[in-house]
């Protein structure tokens, strides 16, 4: 009885058949027995061919199903995917996402993949990265491409070499990261504003402390200057009588005529300067006061402007020769937040200087 193991590789199965033929021919068998053996061999070979054909059909079916699954994944992937020839960098295939992202069809990409690059240098940079990593995975964090209407498309690119039907193919996925970049930039701006807000909070606390420290000595200056103004008013009469009786005399190297002209201005300047310091201190205190977002406070807009300008008085004099305040008269009070309006006015003036 002749038997063949059909699960064995085909080379082994053919060897088994050959051995059977040799044994049949070399044995001492009658013509009838030999004819029967040959018929059995024919039957077994036919069965072997049928088995191999069925196995091939099954393998081809499995391969086709695998390719169909790959194609479905390829087409439905949320990233733009382009298959490239690693030698020529020509497009072999592209999914629908790639067509949508770059604004051109598959045939256009296959015809001229280089159209995605704004200039030759960009294309050469991309080729260089591909060539450096053609045998392994690569990652480009950010690369600029060009869409159909010329707009810039910023993508993160990943890729690796894969085999399709025995051929090396460069599998590249492109993800539009423009929104991510904008979100990151927005987050950075928010962080910067938070830092600036913290700085302004610290500055407000510092300003409040400085204002308190300055206010005490300034009160001494203002009180003493006003007292000296009253003293000078009385002393001037006595000195005038002495001058008329004895003639001119000097104090601190200055004649009485000079003193009579200078001292009132010096005293009024000291008093006015002290008042200005008081106004600045008041403005600093208002500026550093905790913000109340409720608009329940009645404010005089002109007073808010005066306070804001007084804080920047030094900068205004330093950076401009002409600064004019044209304020409306008899304006009614309005509900608002004086501190926030002061900040707006300060920002406007600083931007204008």
């Amino acid at each position: 009885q002749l038997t063949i193991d059909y699960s064995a590789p085909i080379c082994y199965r053919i060897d088994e058949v050959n051995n059977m033929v040799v044994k049949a021919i070399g044995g001492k068998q009658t013509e009838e027995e030999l004819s029967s053996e040959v018929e059995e061999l024919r039957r077994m070979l036919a069965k072997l061919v049928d088995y191999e054909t069925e196995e091939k059909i099954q393998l081809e079916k499995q391969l086709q199903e695998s390719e169909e699954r790959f194609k479905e994944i390829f087409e439905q992937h949320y990233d733009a995917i382009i298959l490239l020839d690693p030698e020529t960098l020509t497009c072999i295939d592209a999914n629908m996402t790639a067509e949508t992202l770059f604004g051109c069809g598959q045939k256009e990409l296959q015809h001229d993949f280089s159209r995605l690059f704004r200039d030759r240098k960009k294309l050469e940079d991309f080729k260089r990265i591909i060539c450096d990593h053609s045998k392994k995975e690569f990652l480009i964090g950010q690369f600029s491409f060009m869409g159909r209407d010329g707009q810039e498309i910023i993508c993160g690119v990943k890729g690796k070499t894969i085999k399709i039907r025995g051929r090396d193919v460069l599998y590249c996925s492109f993800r539009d990261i423009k929104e991510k970049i904008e979100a990151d930039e927005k987050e950075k701006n928010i962080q910067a504003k938070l830092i600036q807000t913290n700085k302004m909070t610290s500055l407000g606390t510092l300003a409040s402390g400085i204002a308190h420290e300055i206010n005490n000595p300034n009160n001494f200056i203002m009180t003493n200057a006003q007292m000296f103004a009253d003293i000078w008013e009385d002393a001037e009469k006595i000195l005038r009588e002495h001058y008329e009786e004895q003639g001119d005399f000097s104090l601190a190297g200055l004649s009485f005529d000079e003193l009579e002209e200078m001292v009132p201005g010096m005293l009024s300047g000291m008093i006015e300067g002290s008042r200005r310091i008081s106004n600045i201190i008041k403005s600093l205190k208002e500026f550093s006061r905790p913000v109340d977002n409720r608009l329940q406070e009645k404010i005089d807009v002109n007073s808010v402007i005066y306070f804001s300008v007084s804080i920047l008085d030094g900068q205004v004099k330093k950076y401009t020769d002409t600064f004019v305040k044209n304020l409306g008269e008899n304006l009614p009070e309005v509900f608002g937040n004086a501190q926030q309006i002061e900040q707006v006015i300060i920002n406007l003036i600083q931007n204008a200087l």
Side-chain angles (χ1 to χ4, degrees), residues 101-246:
L101 175 62
F102 297 114
C104 51
Q106 184 187 93
K107 290 184 178 179
E108 291 179 273
L109 290 170
Q110 290 173 333
H111 176 70
D112 185 15
F113 176 69
S114 63
R115 71 182 303 282
L116 299 183
F117 302 88
R118 190 171 296 277
D119 50 48
R120 187 74 184 176
K121 184 178 181 303
K122 282 286 185 184
L123 176 60
E124 293 302 323
D125 288 344
F126 190 78
K127 282 183 178 179
R128 176 178 50 78
I129 296 171
I130 298 301
C131 290
D132 289 346
H133 302 83
S134 60
K135 299 302 179 184
K136 55 184 179 180
E137 295 185 10
F138 68 88
L139 173 65
I140 307 174
Q142 184 174 323
F143 202 89
S144 176
F145 298 92
M146 184 175 66
R148 177 183 290 277
D149 57 358
Q151 91 275 16
E152 185 181 33
I153 302 172
I154 302 174
C155 294
V157 187
K158 291 193 301 183
K160 63 179 178 179
T161 301
I162 63 174
K163 279 193 179 292
I164 297 181
R165 294 183 177 178
R167 175 186 178 185
D168 281 348
V169 173
L170 196 60
Y171 177 98
C172 296
S173 66
F174 303 78
R175 180 173 296 183
D176 189 350
I177 58 173
K178 183 178 179 181
E179 290 185 0
K180 181 179 182 299
I181 292 173
E182 291 176 350
D184 290 344
E185 189 65 28
K186 186 176 181 180
E187 184 178 353
K188 287 180 182 178
N189 291 335
I190 291 173
Q191 289 291 336
K193 287 180 180 179
L194 287 174
I195 292 172
Q196 184 64 23
T197 300
N198 290 334
K199 285 183 178 179
M200 294 303 293
T201 301
S202 300
L203 178 61
T205 303
L206 180 63
S208 179
I210 292 173
H212 179 73
E213 293 297 325
I214 294 174
N215 192 48
N216 290 334
N218 185 62
N219 286 336
F220 289 124
I221 294 171
M222 177 173 285
T223 301
N224 292 338
Q226 289 173 340
M227 182 177 292
F228 271 107
D230 294 339
I231 291 172
W232 171 254
E233 187 177 350
D234 293 338
E236 184 186 12
K237 298 175 183 177
I238 299 171
L239 293 174
R240 165 59 58 183
E241 291 177 0
H242 181 76
Y243 172 78
E244 291 174 352
E245 292 176 0
Q246 304 294 329

Side-chain angles (χ1 to χ4, degrees), residues 48-81:
L48 179 63
V49 171
D50 290 342
Y51 186 86
E52 288 298 324
T53 303
E54 179 66 23
E55 187 177 38
K56 183 179 179 181
I57 292 172
Q58 289 297 326
L59 287 173
E60 288 179 348
K61 183 179 179 182
Q62 291 175 6
L63 179 60
Q64 183 180 0
E65 290 176 351
S66 177
E67 288 179 348
E68 288 175 355
R69 284 196 298 270
F70 175 80
K71 191 67 176 177
E72 287 178 2
I73 295 171
F74 179 77
E75 288 296 341
Q76 297 177 27
H77 204 284
Y78 58 85
D79 283 340
I81 299 174

